[in-house]
Amino acid sequence: MNTEDFRPEKKATVFYPPQRVLMGPGPSDTHARVLNAMARPTLGHLDPVFTEMMEEIKGLMRYAFQTKNRMTFPVSGPGSVGMEMCFVNMIEPGDKVIVCRNGVFGGRMIENVERHGGVAVVVDDKWGEPVDPQKVEDALKKNPDAKIVAFVHAETSTGAQSDAKTLCEIARKYNCLTIVDTVTSLGGTPILVDEWGIDAIYSGSQKCLSCPPGLSPVSFSDRVTELVKNRKTKVHSWFMDISLLLNYWGSSARTYHHTAPTNALYGLHESLLMIYEEGLEHSWARHRYNYEALKAGFATLGMNYVVKEEHRLPQLNSVFVPAGVDEKEVRRRLLDEYNLEIGAGLGDFAGKVWRFGLMGTSCRVENVIFCLNALETILSDMGAKVERGTAAAAAHKSYAAKPMF
Ligand SMILES: *Cc1c(COP(=O)(O)O)cnc(C)c1O
């Protein structure tokens, strides 16, 4: 054997990532406290010191989700795994699911339903608009055998927020359980799991929780536990079967299921602790406060929002690219010259829209001012009609008019 044959072609060196400012649709910046927490010594996933911290994570997650659900824990995997976990546990072959689609992620829910043998009844709404509760009710009337209603609370591809409380009320009126995607909303805008009667909810660590990607907080009501217990068929995934996972994440007699990503969980613990210390209401208000200022700055740059004011997510700002501007070049320059990442448009919005995230730690005054100044400079440089010095000034005015701190 010649080990030389297997050397990388290029000399491998230590990887030092540049320090960016992440203001796209996620990941957002990881808070220094979270990075520090993750650098602490690795523990075994069954070490009593570690399992004690797992209980704290569950408690802090119940606070973040505003729920008393016993089945509240982080899944070892990104938001997409949290999504899949809900569908794979709750759907049996032939089950009918009402799926709302008003952007990319609703489309993924349909994929999930179909891949797990369910029948998706799709309720479509235009990109940039919230899910229309009337259409959902109409679909439920037409499909009395539907078992589940699934929708995205915060559609990250468009920046629209749907009325989760009303949608859950309607679902329950027709005896359906709900699956709600709150990957982008958790920590950024209100989510009241128990008050709204959400049955299955999932989120992601990398959006408004100031954590790196890779973990998905989930919570299930007792109605879901019952449903899973009474399944006729085995859950079609061993890894994601919640009844097996509970042997590890449940509160007693923990046994090995999979090796939990211990250090990543220290990070999640820290980020949930930060939200707890800040207070949920304060975190929601902070997202709104910075959104108002960013919006004021965008107005001076002639950048219009995709979503109507009343349905906008403060943490995900979708704006149309001004006419005649090379949108890709602007993003390239923001990254190369300012280390600032923003998001491009997805799907129907590709090439037409930019997405500015104000999530978690990235949602701060200095980022808003920095981003507006950088944009203004680049746009003006590229010949767009903008008046220098106006964008950040408008943001400052907004901050002064509605002080938060
Ligand atoms: C980001 C996102 C996801 C997917 O999360 P990953 O961590 O990328 O797997 C799902 N739904 C919504 C609404 C999202 O914004």
Side-chain angles (χ1 to χ4, degrees), residues 25 78-81 83 105 108 152 154-156 181 183-184 202 204 206-207:
S80 306
V81 179
M83 179 190 280
F105 294 100
R108 287 201 185 167
V152 178
E155 190 35 273
T156 322
D181 177 323
V183 175
T184 283
Y202 59 91
Q206 78 277 28
K207 305 219 177 168

Side-chain angles (χ1 to χ4, degrees), residues 59 72 79 173 181 205 243 340 357 364 384 391:
T72 303
K173 195 167 123 194
D181 177 323
S205 48
S243 47
L340 173 59
R364 56 209 292 165

Side-chain angles (χ1 to χ4, degrees), residues 280-358:
L280 268 178
E281 285 89 353
H282 192 282
S283 180
W284 300 332
R286 173 168 55 82
H287 283 83
R288 186 141 287 281
Y289 173 70
N290 287 306
Y291 149 76
E292 294 286 351
L294 188 68
K295 178 181 77 173
F298 283 165
T300 71
L301 298 173
M303 285 161 54
N304 301 313
Y305 275 82
V306 169
V307 178
K308 276 204 212 111
E309 178 111 37
E310 64 267 33
H311 303 306
R312 257 178 230 161
L313 285 164
Q315 65 271 47
L316 198 282
N317 296 257
S318 277
V319 290
F320 290 108
V321 175
V325 169
D326 178 347
E327 76 85 18
K328 232 175 161 170
E329 178 63 6
V330 172
R331 279 188 294 115
R332 187 196 63 77
R333 287 191 56 178
L334 284 172
L335 195 66
D336 288 355
E337 297 167 20
Y338 293 87
N339 268 312
L340 173 59
E341 180 180 276
I342 64 163
L346 277 185
D348 297 356
F349 285 160
K352 299 177 199 148
V353 160
W354 285 319
R355 292 179 299 152
F356 294 85
L358 284 174

Side-chain angles (χ1 to χ4, degrees), residues 231-309:
R231 284 179 64 105
K232 288 184 209 77
T233 55
K234 265 190 182 178
V235 173
H236 291 183
S237 158
W238 174 86
F239 181 70
M240 282 184 272
D241 185 330
I242 46 178
S243 47
L244 298 179
L245 256 171
L246 221 58
N247 295 332
Y248 180 58
W249 273 103
S251 339
S252 57
R254 281 196 182 74
T255 53
Y256 169 67
H257 175 269
H258 69 283
T259 311
T262 47
N263 291 57
L265 288 165
Y266 305 165
L268 182 67
H269 179 272
E270 191 76 13
S271 75
L272 291 167
L273 188 61
M274 282 170 54
I275 288 214
Y276 181 67
E277 289 168 356
E278 177 179 9
L280 268 178
E281 285 89 353
H282 192 282
S283 180
W284 300 332
R286 173 168 55 82
H287 283 83
R288 186 141 287 281
Y289 173 70
N290 287 306
Y291 149 76
E292 294 286 351
L294 188 68
K295 178 181 77 173
F298 283 165
T300 71
L301 298 173
M303 285 161 54
N304 301 313
Y305 275 82
V306 169
V307 178
K308 276 204 212 111
E309 178 111 37

Side-chain angles (χ1 to χ4, degrees), residues 7-160:
R7 279 194 191 278
E9 275 153 41
K10 186 170 156 280
K11 188 174 185 296
T13 53
V14 178
F15 178 62
Y16 291 108
Q19 184 71 59
R20 308 277 203 210
V21 174
L22 302 181
M23 292 180 74
S28 52
D29 286 335
T30 301
H31 196 279
R33 270 180 64 177
V34 175
L35 286 176
N36 263 310
M38 293 172 70
R40 292 172 196 154
T42 300
L43 288 173
H45 59 288
L46 291 169
D47 185 313
V49 176
F50 181 72
T51 56
E52 204 177 306
M53 189 210 62
M54 288 165 69
E55 286 303 304
E56 270 189 37
I57 291 186
K58 286 156 66 181
L60 291 165
M61 272 180 59
R62 287 190 190 105
Y63 170 70
F65 276 132
Q66 294 285 286
T67 184
K68 294 201 156 60
N69 284 342
R70 209 171 45 89
M71 287 264 271
T72 303
F73 59 94
V75 176
S76 308
S80 306
V81 179
M83 179 190 280
E84 187 127 6
M85 174 174 255
C86 294
F87 287 93
V88 79
N89 279 280
M90 291 168 70
I91 294 180
E92 288 198 81
D95 284 352
K96 209 179 240 187
V97 183
I98 310 279
V99 188
C100 309
R101 174 173 56 186
N102 61 341
V104 165
F105 294 100
R108 287 201 185 167
M109 284 180 152
I110 299 171
E111 269 291 307
N112 266 276
V113 170
E114 290 173 348
R115 281 169 189 252
H116 300 132
V119 178
V121 176
V122 181
V123 173
D124 268 312
D125 276 292
K126 258 179 67 185
W127 279 48
E129 286 181 11
V131 173
D132 181 351
Q134 188 57 54
K135 285 191 196 167
V136 173
E137 181 142 20
D138 292 346
L140 283 163
K141 274 187 190 144
K142 254 190 252 160
N143 297 278
D145 53 337
K147 279 180 62 179
I148 295 167
V149 173
F151 65 90
V152 178
H153 178 227
E155 190 35 273
T156 322
S157 61
T158 70

